[in-house]
Amino acid sequence: MRAASVTNTQTNYHARWVVPVTRPPLAGATVSVAGARITYVGPRRDAPPGEDIELGDAVLLPGLVNAHTHLELTAMRGLLTGLDFVSWIRTLTAARAAVLTPAAMRDAACLGVAEGLLAGITTYADTSASGVVLGAMRDMGVRGIMYQEVFGPAAAQRAEAMAQLRRDVEALRPFETDLVHLGVSPHAVYTVHEDLMIDAAAYAAGAGLPVAIHLAESDAETAFLREAEGPFAEGLRARGLPVERRSHSPVHLLVELGVVLARPLLIHCVKLDESDVDFIAHYGCPVAHCPASNAVLGHGIAPVRELLDAGAVVGLGSDSAASNDQMDILGEARLASLMQSARLQRPDVLSTAEALALATMGGARALGLDERVGSIEVGKDADLAAFRLDPVRAATLGPEAAALAIAGTPAVLVTVAGQPRVRDGAVLGLDPMLAGRVTDSAAALVAWRHSLPAR
Ligand SMILES: [Zn+2]
């Protein structure tokens, strides 16, 4: 009877290719799931009895990990195209304040998760100013960390900003689940005074919360710290705030402040020198690499090869819809691989297999979730994503490269902790009115942008 009950509760996903990531791809293989967990990975002939699901000419991957996004900004796609970085940030902040209600941002976050699910993304690392994203991820049945953002470039804002951060976090803690958790994000070195940065990191460490910081994204950020010059410095001086030379680089500043001891997730890390790379590896701070966003905003290409060679953990992020026209981590993996070869001017600097590993295990390690997700292994949670794959392409490319090449194709199956979330290219249980509401928000944002004085 015991065996029969196990049989009844086990699901066997059969696919032409299974890519476990932590070991070589398997052809003609099966992944068995019972409850939330993976119970078998191997040849179909040896699979235990269970309900059979035929995925056919598909590649079955671990659920993809988006190591950096802002889901509440999903209605802003294309809104800020062409702006320089400082204008982009200011316009984004003003648009959010003028147009987007908390309900609108929650809808946008749900729609962003739906887009991500169709792209096979099961885990989200989201930095949120509004705090609505924790509930959105929970409603959509995905895994994630929502880092509550805190801002405050003036020394005088320190106490009030910390009090607000504590209130925000305490209000959200009851809504954490096994799948969705909270973190803290002092936004960036040019929007957060260094005393507040220290306080936020200390608070997070004391409360057992992970930390994420946007870091070393632009030349303007380096100029702000190294020379006390550039648009960020001018902006703060215009507000009557003192700006002084602070440090060699954003990474050096975090070392000098001791904030690296909280091992924050460092978002972007485009503008690094050798000493920065060494510090990141030495202190074990994971990096969220966002190749498309960095390209859209004209920031450059992060030294991913050097970070990996130094032993740093790297995951891949889409960043927000305000700086990326897609949320597609397979697409980011393909871009990451291509851009490293373009940057270093030699082939295969970051192989497709390694890029796919960044999109899965790399992201999971960056978020401290690699014991549970990031690869297809017995005992791990069943976060899975399957995509149709052309056998002709797969024959020459291999399943890993072929998977990167089909970025943009909707998944045929996505599960989170064993629960199906996508079947045959459709998100299960999606509110049919959701897209209409977010379309209204997007139209309101466009009307607001057109109402601005011409630049
Ligand atoms: Zn960001």
Side-chain angles (χ1 to χ4, degrees):
M1 287 304 290
R2 219 177 127 78
S5 74
V6 168
T7 300
N8 290 339
T9 57
Q10 183 145 287
T11 304
N12 290 332
Y13 294 106
H14 307 293
R16 183 152 176 170
W17 301 273
V18 172
V19 178
V21 170
T22 42
R23 60 183 170 122
L26 306 165
T30 296
V31 176
S32 303
V33 175
R37 297 283 166 79
I38 296 167
T39 53
Y40 173 82
V41 185
R44 177 169 186 155
R45 64 176 180 275
D46 298 334
E51 182 196 358
D52 294 310
I53 307 273
E54 304 290 346
L55 297 171
D57 283 336
V59 59
L60 185 54
L61 305 171
L64 302 165
V65 178
N66 189 347
H68 179 56
T69 186
H70 303 254
L71 289 161
E72 67 198 20
L73 304 180
T74 298
M76 287 195 183
R77 180 159 292 145
L79 184 74
L80 310 174
T81 300
L83 294 178
D84 69 83
F85 186 46
V86 173
S87 305
W88 178 88
I89 291 181
R90 286 183 186 145
T91 312
L92 188 160
T93 307
R96 175 164 54 196
V99 180
L100 297 180
T101 63
M105 286 189 275
R106 185 164 172 140
D107 279 342
C110 288
L111 195 70
V113 170
E115 179 184 352
L117 278 170
L118 291 177
I121 302 165
T122 51
T123 299
Y124 300 76
D126 188 279
T127 52
S128 172
S130 71
V132 301
V133 175
L134 189 82
M137 293 192 300
R138 189 175 142 148
D139 287 355
M140 295 295 291
V142 296
R143 192 183 301 274
I145 300 172
M146 190 204 84
Y147 301 88
Q148 175 66 54
E149 285 187 316
V150 58
F151 300 83
Q157 289 171 287
R158 177 182 184 176
E160 176 48 33
M162 273 311 299
Q164 184 64 48
L165 176 63
R166 287 170 192 275
R167 284 195 295 272
D168 290 341
V169 169
E170 291 312 315
L172 287 167
R173 287 218 98 161
F175 300 99
E176 289 183 289
T177 68
D178 184 50
L179 291 181
V180 297
H181 293 278
L182 280 171
V184 168
S185 180
H187 171 258
V189 296
Y190 51 87
T191 53
V192 177
H193 190 274
E194 58 193 53
D195 293 338
L196 178 56
M197 189 75 80
I198 291 168
D199 285 358
Y203 165 63
L209 298 169
V211 178
I213 303 172
H214 291 81
L215 200 79
E217 183 177 8
S218 64
D219 288 330
E221 184 180 335
T222 306
F224 169 66
L225 294 178
R226 194 180 291 173
E227 316 292 349
E229 287 178 0
F232 289 125
E234 290 160 17
L236 292 182
R237 287 198 182 99
R239 292 170 59 179
L241 300 175
V243 181
E244 295 167 6
R245 291 181 187 182
R246 281 297 306 127
S247 189
H248 171 72
S249 71
V251 172
H252 279 242
L253 180 69
L254 292 198
V255 172
E256 288 150 18
L257 298 179
V259 170
V260 283
L261 300 176
R263 297 180 65 194
L265 174 67
L266 304 179
I267 302 157
H268 296 307
C269 289
V270 179
K271 307 295 181 183
L272 305 181
D273 66 14
E274 265 181 52
S275 67
D276 295 321
V277 170
D278 288 346
F279 272 141
I280 288 170
H282 175 77
Y283 287 101
C285 299
V287 172
H289 172 46
C290 305
S293 173
N294 298 153
V296 164
L297 291 169
H299 288 144
I301 305 172
V304 173
R305 184 70 267 161
E306 290 85 339
L307 284 164
L308 292 170
D309 289 346
V313 171
V314 178
L316 300 178
S318 64
D319 211 344
S320 77
S323 62
N324 193 342
D325 57 357
Q326 309 225 10
M327 190 200 289
D328 186 342
I329 294 300
L330 285 180
E332 299 291 336
R334 180 168 181 269
L335 269 181
S337 174
L338 293 174
M339 284 183 173
Q340 291 303 306
S341 283
R343 183 177 67 90
L344 295 174
Q345 299 182 45
R346 53 191 167 86
D348 217 26
V349 170
L350 186 71
S351 72
T352 48
E354 201 171 8
L356 184 61
L358 299 188
T360 51
M361 270 305 277
R365 289 176 68 199
L367 305 182
L369 297 173
D370 51 307
E371 296 282 314
R372 295 186 63 178
V373 295
S375 59
I376 301 181
E377 294 180 69
V378 171
K380 280 198 169 181
D381 284 10
D383 286 20
L384 303 170
F387 298 87
R388 290 247 177 279
L389 212 55
D390 172 10
V392 177
R393 288 183 179 214
T396 46
L397 287 169
E400 291 150 318
L404 265 52
I406 50 105
T409 307
V412 291
L413 172 84
V414 176
T415 67
V416 179
Q419 293 296 312
R421 300 294 175 211
V422 170
R423 274 212 179 101
D424 299 324
V427 177
L428 301 177
L430 191 65
D431 173 359
M433 309 300 283
L434 180 65
R437 294 197 299 274
V438 180
T439 304
D440 291 345
S441 292
L445 285 162
V446 170
W448 175 86
R449 175 102 203 259
H450 288 161
S451 75
L452 296 180
R455 299 176 55 79

